[in-house]
Amino acid sequence: QLTRRTELDYRPSRIVFDTLFARCPSRSYLDTVIRICNQSAALGSARAVSVTGAITRQPTVFQVFPAGGRTFPLVLQPGECADIVVRFLAQDTTLQFLDTLYVLSTDRCPGNGIIPLSGRTQQVLAIRQPNGTTPIASLQFPPTCPGDLSSPRAWNWYNMTSRDVIIDSVVFPRTLVAVRLPRTPYVLRPSSQAGEFEKYFRFRPLQPGLVRDSIVFYSHLPGAPCHFVIVIP
């Protein structure tokens, strides 16, 4: 067993983030701090060491920057410490993310400053086609005369968790007619991943011309500090 001491010390040496919920505007990221200290004096050769930068392989998922508004490089005198922030950004999916943080420095010991990262994002509510697998990015309707109803566009909502999801409201324009849409608030059970009747929207234009608008789904997970928003153009 070898215990290696390096000029720079990193605490913690591994980061495991809590779960982030997808599509939660009030909590779109999580931050944690790594403290880097110059311990070169304990090795018998005290000197200033610079932290020149920090990178990850997935910068859209894990971001790194100095704390307190500082910028790279960070010059640390013997015994001095500085903090860098590692930020885990929410994604619109359910996935486990694994990455490695590489802290670049003038430390004489090669291979120092390599910190494993992990985090998970959890999708709570999904709007999909009735097959349960195909996401709906938008709903497009055929040309329809004012006052008439278009052919229906099928969709369904899916609870992606093992807990109840509360659908607080569904907001859609007057030019749409909803079919089988229950009154809200509505409790979406975990079994809804397979057991809900498919639902429909039909287009009923009020006047000629191109209509662009959105359907917005608002929901929350009891006990979680998040309200989720899904917008379907």
Side-chain angles (χ1 to χ4, degrees):
Q1 178 177 340
L2 285 175
T3 300
R4 183 179 70 165
R5 298 193 67 182
T6 57
E7 292 183 301
L8 293 181
D9 178 64
Y10 300 84
R11 300 294 175 87
S13 58
R14 175 183 297 271
I15 297 176
V16 179
F17 286 94
D18 290 337
T19 298
L20 267 178
F21 293 115
R23 300 179 184 269
C24 172
S26 62
R27 200 184 190 200
S28 58
Y29 63 86
L30 293 173
D31 284 347
T32 192
V33 171
I34 295 177
R35 171 146 289 195
I36 307 174
C37 295
N38 181 346
Q39 58 177 13
S40 59
L43 304 180
S45 56
R47 72 182 188 99
V49 182
S50 296
V51 178
T52 57
I55 58 174
T56 63
R57 291 174 297 183
Q58 302 177 84
T60 59
V61 179
F62 298 101
Q63 295 180 348
V64 192
F65 50 90
R70 301 178 66 180
T71 58
F72 292 120
L74 304 173
V75 180
L76 303 181
Q77 300 300 323
E80 185 180 5
C81 299
D83 293 335
I84 62 173
V85 177
V86 183
R87 175 167 292 176
F88 174 43
L89 301 169
Q91 309 294 311
D92 290 341
T93 184
T94 298
L95 199 61
Q96 181 78 30
F97 293 94
L98 301 175
D99 206 332
T100 303
L101 168 64
Y102 298 91
V103 181
L104 311 177
S105 71
T106 59
D107 192 320
R108 290 175 178 149
C109 187
N112 193 20
I114 300 176
I115 300 172
L117 307 174
S118 67
R120 177 180 174 82
T121 56
Q122 173 68 53
Q123 188 176 8
V124 173
L125 177 69
I127 307 300
R128 296 177 175 174
Q129 293 183 10
N131 61 21
T133 58
T134 307
I136 294 179
S138 65
L139 286 175
Q140 299 189 12
F141 298 90
T144 307
C145 294
D148 288 349
L149 284 170
S150 73
S151 56
R153 289 292 181 262
W155 63 277
N156 216 336
W157 48 31
Y158 295 87
N159 181 347
M160 309 301 293
T161 75
S162 58
R163 300 156 54 184
D164 289 346
V165 173
I166 308 300
I167 309 294
D168 297 304
S169 62
V170 181
V171 179
F172 53 92
R174 295 174 54 215
T175 51
L176 293 187
V177 174
V179 181
R180 283 187 180 164
L181 181 64
R183 290 186 177 183
T184 55
Y186 179 75
V187 179
L188 194 58
R189 307 291 183 188
S191 59
S192 68
Q193 294 177 14
E196 287 263 343
F197 287 114
E198 62 186 39
K199 302 163 183 61
Y200 304 91
F201 278 111
R202 302 183 72 177
F203 178 48
R204 185 172 61 189
L206 305 178
Q207 59 190 20
L210 181 65
V211 176
R212 296 184 184 275
D213 215 311
S214 297
I215 306 164
V216 187
F217 297 83
Y218 297 92
S219 63
H220 74 275
L221 195 63
C226 275
H227 286 77
F228 308 101
V229 181
I230 297 180
V231 180
I232 305 294

